[in-house]
Each structure stands twice: as structure tokens, then as C-alpha cells.
Amino acid sequence: MSRTIALLGGTGAEGVGLALRWAKAGETVVIGSREAARARDAAERIKQIVAGAQVSGEENVAACAAANIVVLTIPFAGHAALLKQIKPAIRAGTIVVDTTVPLAASLGGRASRTLGVWQGSAAQQCAELLPKEIPVVAAFQNLGAKLLSYDGPAECDVIVCGDHAEANRAVRALAVKIAGVRAIDGGSLENARILEQITALLIGLNIRYKAETGIRITGLPEHP
Amino acid sequence: MSRTIALLGGTGAEGVGLALRWAKAGETVVIGSREAARARDAAERIKQIVAGAQVSGEENVAACAAANIVVLTIPFAGHAALLKQIKPAIRAGTIVVDTTVPLAASLGGRASRTLGVWQGSAAQQCAELLPKEIPVVAAFQNLGAKLLSYDGPAECDVIVCGDHAEANRAVRALAVKIAGVRAIDGGSLENARILEQITALLIGLNIRYKAETGIRITGLPEHP
């Protein structure tokens, strides 16, 4: 069975970046947005860049209903609301991938600080808001939109955390379809809090060094 | 003026590792321990490995009083108590470097989880417990003892956080004396919480992959 990846809030830089990379890798992608027209526009732009790309655009809930891998690429301010909205549309067997970082900037604070999330992390909030049988996987927080927008290899490891081994494996397989990315088993979903905080650190480094930073774990094999 | 680096709790693997690396680089090092005899034993072992090493051993408070850079390499369980003990012995102009990670293992929990520290991080607790004029710098949390114990380059960046620019610079200069290490300006001391949590993530990876992991930031120049 072929898979379809929905990128909810996918008209933002992170969503478009992931869509581009996966479209290049031959994956079928649906961009989701609050407005279907904006989603379709983004899909058209990707088709112009990637010849033969299997990319379409839909309103978020419709995008979710069309997919078996649903990736959240939304600001934290809209996180809980979107999850409540899409919950009835998630099909059985769907994997939800949360890339969200609870940056303090969501509430007018700094992008180099995070908010405290009661559940421990945005990804754990996601898992709490969805039915228990939906596997939630935390990943891609540290892979900035600009790294994704380059044509060349993205110099960043993707650490994947989740409580469902098979879903974790599927997301790691999806991650390594992005050139340059190495996928690493980061353990259980509760560790997502660390991935989310690393993003705040990287944003601080980006500001301080006028750079686009990523992260590599040393001491692991090339294909862990 | 020549400098002396005290490693408090320096008979542990992290302290001995840092002492070895700095002794090799020609720095003057005092190992501190609760028992002066154990500190002197550790110093003797280092001298046997590094010919001509300027290394001695003292009880922690005496080591602190002899140094102008004081590095805490102690388990979190003894963090606050040691700081109260050494406070009167810290000389004016001394820089305190905190490598401590508040691992849950300090209280019988997992080494891949951290405790919540009221001040935000162990390093901020350190700053609160010391007089305001003593610069506290957070660094070396992610550079594991095993990486330090190798003879070759330590494959790890050292992210340095602190609120005193000059002290931060001094610690970055000390970090790059360890072969393989790149020193990165991690911003203000409050960011130490992220460095501390990264250690818990790396410990989890070490367990999962039977490895000795470290961290590299990508997208920065070779000598940031």
C-alpha cells in the first residue's frame, strides 16, 4: 500500500521544506492549511520546483483524512486547537508526527526560550489529546526550515522519540529520505522535551552567530 | 599571572578526564576531593600518565582557595552542600565553572532523565548560592568522561553559557585546549538548562546504542 504524508500547517517554511524534500524522494504529499486555496498554492509552487511531484493541497482536516502519516508543522499557539479539530478525521493506523516546539515566541516571548508544557512537551500534549491507539512520534524539531530549503544535504541528525517502536521505525525511514539526514532512536516520547529545548538553543545560536545551525550526535555509526 | 584550575570532586571520572587533558596542555591543576589523600592519589596517577604534569591534590576547600578557576565535577546530590562549603574560600576574581547535570539518578532515578531545579538549572543554582560578583559559567556537561579518557581528539563541542562575557571567553579558551573540542557561545547562564538536559539525552543514546556519544553543532565555522 502506498502512503500519503499530510503536512498540517504545511504552508509555513518548515512544512514546505519537508514537502519539497519528500516530494523529491517520490513520496505522495498533501499540504494542509486552514484555507484550502493557500494549501493548493503551496502545492503548485512545489510542483514547479520538483518535476513530477505527487503533491496536492487541502484544508487541514481533509488533508488529515487523506493521509496515513500526519505531520504537524504548526506554531505551538495553534497546537491544541488543531489537534482537537483533526481528531475525528484521523484514520485508524495513521501515525502522527509532531515537529512542534513550544517556543516562548508563541506567546510573545523569545524564540530562544521554551514554555513549560504540563505534559512535559508539545509531543506529549499531542499524545494526550489524541486517542491512545494513535502512535505519536516526535521528530524534525531540530531541522530548521532553512536547512530544508537548500538543495544540498541537510546537515542535521533527526532524533526520533516515541512509544510505538514500529511507528518510530517508519518515521526514521522517512527522515533518511531527506538528503544528509541521519535518523537516531531517541527513545520514548517523554524525551521529546529535550528535542524541543534543543531547538530553542539552536535558534539562540542562529541569532548569535548569524547562522543556520543543526545538530549531529557523535560516536554513533553512519547508519545507526 | 599564571592560572590554577581546581577540579572539585575531581577524583571522579569526569574530573580526572578534564585534569588529564588540561595537564597535557600545560595547565596547572589541583584535584579537589573530600579527602586530601584521595586527591593526592589521583594527582599521582595523572603525573604517571602525563610527564611533567603540574598537578597536585588537596581537600576541596583548600583546592578552591588555591585556584582562580574552580570547576565543579560533582554529582548533583552534593552540589548545594559543596557550594556552601567552598563559598568562603573562593578568591576574588575566581571563575566558577559548573559541569553539573541534575540527573534523576542523583536521587535513585534514571540517568536519562533530569530533575527539575527551581532556579532552572544546576548552574543557576550555583550562581544563586555564590556571591553575585563571582562569575559562574556552565560548560562541559556534554563531554562525557569516556570521551575525555581517550588519547585522541574528543569528538564533542563544548557549549559555554554564562552572564559574564569575559569569564565565558576564558572558559571557551580553556575548552579548546582539549584536543577535538570546539567551544561555542551558548548565550546566557539560563541556557544551561538545555545543556544539562542534552546530557540526559546523550546518556540515553549511550545506553541504547552502547556508544559514547557527544554533540556537534552544524552550520558554524570551524573556530566560532
Side-chain angles (χ1 to χ4, degrees), chain B residues 15-95:
Chain B
V16 167
L18 287 170
L20 268 171
R21 296 286 188 157
W22 284 326
K24 270 184 208 170
E27 298 285 331
T28 302
V29 175
V30 186
I31 303 272
S33 173
R34 272 176 293 188
E35 295 167 46
R38 291 187 56 211
R40 283 193 280 269
D41 282 354
E44 282 312 310
R45 274 182 283 132
I46 289 166
K47 281 183 187 172
Q48 281 163 21
I49 299 170
V50 183
Q54 296 292 314
V55 185
S56 57
E58 299 277 3
E59 185 277 328
N60 276 326
V61 175
C64 178
N68 30 31
I69 297 185
V70 172
V71 184
L72 308 181
T73 57
I74 48 168
F76 183 64
H79 187 255
L82 180 72
L83 283 163
K84 287 172 193 167
Q85 197 192 350
I86 64 167
K87 185 176 168 178
I90 301 174
R91 303 191 299 191
T94 294
I95 297 170

Side-chain angles (χ1 to χ4, degrees), chain A residues 113 155 185 190 208-209 218, chain B residues 155 185 190 208-209 218:
Chain A
R113 286 178 173 169
E155 271 292 339
D185 175 5
E190 63 176 30
R208 214 167 298 113
Y209 285 105
T218 63
Chain B
E155 271 292 339
D185 175 6
E190 63 176 30
R208 215 168 296 115
Y209 286 103
T218 62

Side-chain angles (χ1 to χ4, degrees), chain A residues 73-92:
Chain A
T73 57
I74 49 169
F76 183 65
H79 187 255
L82 180 72
L83 284 163
K84 287 172 192 166
Q85 197 192 351
I86 64 166
K87 185 177 169 179
I90 301 176
R91 304 190 300 189

Side-chain angles (χ1 to χ4, degrees), chain B:
Chain B
M1 203 192 72
S2 74
R3 66 180 163 197
T4 300
I5 306 166
L7 288 148
L8 307 194
T11 57
E14 182 80 10
V16 167
L18 287 170
L20 268 171
R21 296 286 188 157
W22 284 326
K24 270 184 208 170
E27 298 285 331
T28 302
V29 175
V30 186
I31 303 272
S33 173
R34 272 176 293 188
E35 295 167 46
R38 291 187 56 211
R40 283 193 280 269
D41 282 354
E44 282 312 310
R45 274 182 283 132
I46 289 166
K47 281 183 187 172
Q48 281 163 21
I49 299 170
V50 183
Q54 296 292 314
V55 185
S56 57
E58 299 277 3
E59 185 277 328
N60 276 326
V61 175
C64 178
N68 30 31
I69 297 185
V70 172
V71 184
L72 308 181
T73 57
I74 48 168
F76 183 64
H79 187 255
L82 180 72
L83 283 163
K84 287 172 193 167
Q85 197 192 350
I86 64 167
K87 185 176 168 178
I90 301 174
R91 303 191 299 191
T94 294
I95 297 170
V96 173
V97 182
D98 200 347
T99 77
T100 311
V101 178
L103 296 177
S106 309
L107 297 180
R110 294 190 195 171
S112 56
R113 286 176 172 170
T114 56
L115 299 168
V117 179
W118 189 269
Q119 297 86 343
S121 59
Q124 286 167 286
Q125 172 170 284
C126 173
E128 188 185 272
L129 289 170
L130 294 182
K132 273 202 170 54
E133 62 274 18
I134 303 291
V136 172
V137 181
F140 304 107
Q141 296 91 340
N142 307 326
L143 186 57
K146 287 209 180 151
L147 289 183
L148 287 167
S149 71
Y150 300 144
D151 233 15
E155 271 292 339
C156 196
D157 287 344
V158 167
I159 304 171
V160 176
C161 297
D163 297 333
H164 300 260
E166 209 176 311
N168 294 349
R169 264 194 298 275
V171 174
R172 292 202 300 273
L174 208 56
V176 298
K177 297 214 161 190
I178 301 169
V181 162
R182 190 174 61 160
I184 292 173
D185 175 6
S188 56
L189 193 67
E190 63 176 30
N191 294 339
R193 72 193 71 193
I194 309 181
L195 311 187
E196 295 173 10
Q197 297 216 29
I198 289 173
T199 302
L201 180 73
L202 296 178
I203 290 172
L205 294 175
N206 289 349
I207 295 168
R208 215 168 296 115
Y209 286 103
K210 296 176 181 50
E212 283 305 319
T213 58
I215 186 181
R216 289 281 191 205
I217 303 296
T218 62
L220 293 180
E222 205 178 330
H223 303 287

Side-chain angles (χ1 to χ4, degrees), chain A residues 133-145:
Chain A
E133 61 273 19
I134 303 291
V136 172
V137 181
F140 303 108
Q141 296 91 339
N142 307 327
L143 185 57

